[in-house]
């Protein structure tokens, strides 16, 4: 009996935040080739093995949670302007100027979000700047303690891309061995029939073997594995190449500028109306940049 992967999702709410719990089951019958829904639980049945990887990658990348609109909360001592559609905040202190904007208008809870930061050294001395100079917090209700927000380093993001590729390669290998198992049966064919004659009647079963059919199935499995692994490697290299804009530790000399992207981990415990606060300590200056995280209307 052919087996299927069951993706079991249960949506619930906790502390005002929608959570999506995902589980996997292996085995059972396919329910009429369609999605079967219950009142608050939904199960999706998919044939193995290729859909395991798709479901697993979906779970890792989308994760749990809901989205929030993100917008700048400009402070009285800050400037605001636009460049190529981006809403940018500017903050000037004694030794540094900071400009910052969000890379998207929406962020996902329990996921990551990207921001661009530009720093100009207007002081008299060189300075070293990196993500170590930035502290990020989520501010919910005034009575609650701020939530620390993690900033991913360049090395962590590279490792994440490599780990994702490794997981993909494992599942591609599992799929390959499943295809090889099927290929070993591809050369066999079974014929059933009946006969009758002077001595009576009955049924018979005849099995024949075609080695060329099995070899063709094995060759197809080999080609599919090579294609999958090549695609996984290509995607990994593309992801690593896209990280070239990530902010890394650099010396900024007087009159010079440094620009880079930072990616932060939006925590799960975010209220329907909260703030994301960036405290930037640069050459003795302290800049505070605040983004609003508001519930998406009509979601």
């Amino acid at each position: 009996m052919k087996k299927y992967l069951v993706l079991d999702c249960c949506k619930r709410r906790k502390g005002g935040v929608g959570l999506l719990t995902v589980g996997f089951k292996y085995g059972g019958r396919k329910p009429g080739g369609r999605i079967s829904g219950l009142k608050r639980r939904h199960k999706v049945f998919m044939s193995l093995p290729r859909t395991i990887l798709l479901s697993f990658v979906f779970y890792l990348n989308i994760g749990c949670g809901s989205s929030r609109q993100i917008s700048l909360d400009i402070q009285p001592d800050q400037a605001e302007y636009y460049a190529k559609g981006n809403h940018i905040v500017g903050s000037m202190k004694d030794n540094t100027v900071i400009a910052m904007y969000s890379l998207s208008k929406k962020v996902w809870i329990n996921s990551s979000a990207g921001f661009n930061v530009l720093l100009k050294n207007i002081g008299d001395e060189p300075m070293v700047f990196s993500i170590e100079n930035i502290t990020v917090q989520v501010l919910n209700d005034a009575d609650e303690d701020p939530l620390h927000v993690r900033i991913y380093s360049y090395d962590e993001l590279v490792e994440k891309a490599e780990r994702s590729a490794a997981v993909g390669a494992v599942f591609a290998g599992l799929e390959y061995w499943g295809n090889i198992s099927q290929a070993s049966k591809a050369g066999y064919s079974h014929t059933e029939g009946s006969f009758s004659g002077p001595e009576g009647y009955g049924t018979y079963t005849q099995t024949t073997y075609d080695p060329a059919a099995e070899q063709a199935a094995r060759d197809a499995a080999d080609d599919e594995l090579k294609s999958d692994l090549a695609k996984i490697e290509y995607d990994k290299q593309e992801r690593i190449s896209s990280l070239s804009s990530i902010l890394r530790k650099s010396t900024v000399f007087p009159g010079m500028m440094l620009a880079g992207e930072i990616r932060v981990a939006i925590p799960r415990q975010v209220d329907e109306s909260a703030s994301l606060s960036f405290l930037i300590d640069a050459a003795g200056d302290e800049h505070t940049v605040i983004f609003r995280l508001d519930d998406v209307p009509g979601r």
Side-chain angles (χ1 to χ4, degrees):
M1 180 180 69
K2 192 173 184 179
K3 294 185 177 181
Y4 293 85
L5 175 72
V6 182
L7 176 62
D8 191 0
C9 305
C10 177
K11 189 172 182 181
R12 57 192 176 89
R13 296 188 68 84
K14 181 179 180 182
V17 178
L19 304 178
L20 182 65
T21 304
V22 181
F24 296 98
K25 297 178 182 178
Y26 177 52
R29 296 180 178 274
K30 183 179 182 182
R34 61 183 178 84
I35 296 176
S36 176
L38 301 179
K39 185 174 182 181
R40 294 197 54 164
R41 300 179 63 85
H42 307 277
K43 295 183 179 181
V44 181
F45 292 74
M46 301 168 286
S47 60
L48 287 176
R50 178 178 291 274
T51 49
I52 295 181
L53 176 58
L54 296 177
S55 302
F56 190 68
V57 170
F58 172 85
Y59 175 66
L60 290 181
N61 285 281
I62 300 301
C64 303
S66 56
S67 61
R68 295 289 186 274
Q69 282 186 334
I70 185 166
S71 59
L72 274 168
D73 187 358
I74 306 295
Q75 303 303 300
D77 61 342
Q78 296 176 342
E80 71 173 314
Y81 54 97
Y82 291 84
K84 296 182 179 180
N86 296 307
H87 189 197
I88 303 173
V89 59
S91 175
M92 177 180 290
K93 300 294 182 179
D94 294 335
N95 299 306
T96 54
V97 176
I98 292 290
M100 191 171 179
Y101 65 91
S102 171
L103 293 175
S104 62
K105 296 181 180 180
K106 182 188 295 185
V107 296
W108 288 93
I109 304 305
N110 197 31
S111 184
S112 62
F115 300 83
N116 263 352
V117 179
L118 183 144
L119 176 142
K120 183 174 182 179
N121 185 351
I122 59 174
D124 299 325
E125 300 292 333
M127 59 170 292
V128 176
F129 189 74
S130 71
I131 61 172
E132 296 174 1
N133 297 87
I134 306 174
T135 302
V136 190
Q137 295 178 325
V138 164
L139 308 176
N140 285 314
D141 188 270
D143 296 331
E144 297 182 15
D145 293 332
L147 302 175
H148 175 73
V149 175
R150 178 181 179 183
I151 305 177
Y152 292 106
S153 69
Y154 173 81
D155 291 338
E156 286 176 321
L157 293 171
V158 170
E159 182 180 349
K160 186 177 180 180
E162 292 175 340
R163 186 167 58 248
S164 177
V167 171
V170 168
F171 280 100
L174 291 175
E175 180 179 6
Y176 172 72
W177 288 112
N179 290 338
I180 287 295
S181 176
Q182 293 299 317
S184 66
K185 305 173 185 177
Y188 293 92
S189 61
H190 305 281
T191 304
E192 295 182 356
S194 60
F195 65 90
S196 61
E199 298 181 355
Y201 64 91
T203 60
Y204 69 90
T205 300
Q206 181 180 0
T207 300
T208 59
Y209 172 68
D210 181 2
E214 178 178 346
Q215 187 59 49
R218 288 181 178 273
D219 291 343
D222 290 342
D223 291 341
E224 184 175 298
L225 176 63
K226 292 177 182 177
S227 176
D228 287 346
L229 292 179
K231 179 65 166 58
I232 290 169
E233 179 63 22
Y234 176 82
D235 290 344
K236 183 187 77 172
Q237 295 302 327
E238 284 289 294
R239 290 183 63 182
I240 293 177
S241 177
S242 71
L243 299 177
S244 60
S245 61
I246 294 296
L247 180 67
R248 284 178 273 182
K249 181 178 289 188
S250 302
T251 298
V252 186
F253 292 93
M256 301 299 291
M257 292 190 299
L258 174 67
E261 176 188 347
I262 61 173
R263 296 185 189 175
V264 302
I266 304 298
R268 182 175 299 174
Q269 302 85 354
V270 175
D271 289 347
E272 293 184 356
S273 182
S275 297
L276 191 62
S277 175
F278 292 80
L279 177 61
I280 302 173
D281 184 358
D285 295 337
E286 287 192 354
H287 304 263
T288 300
V289 177
I290 299 176
F291 292 87
R292 295 290 307 167
L293 299 177
D294 295 314
D295 197 23
V296 179
R299 180 175 55 82

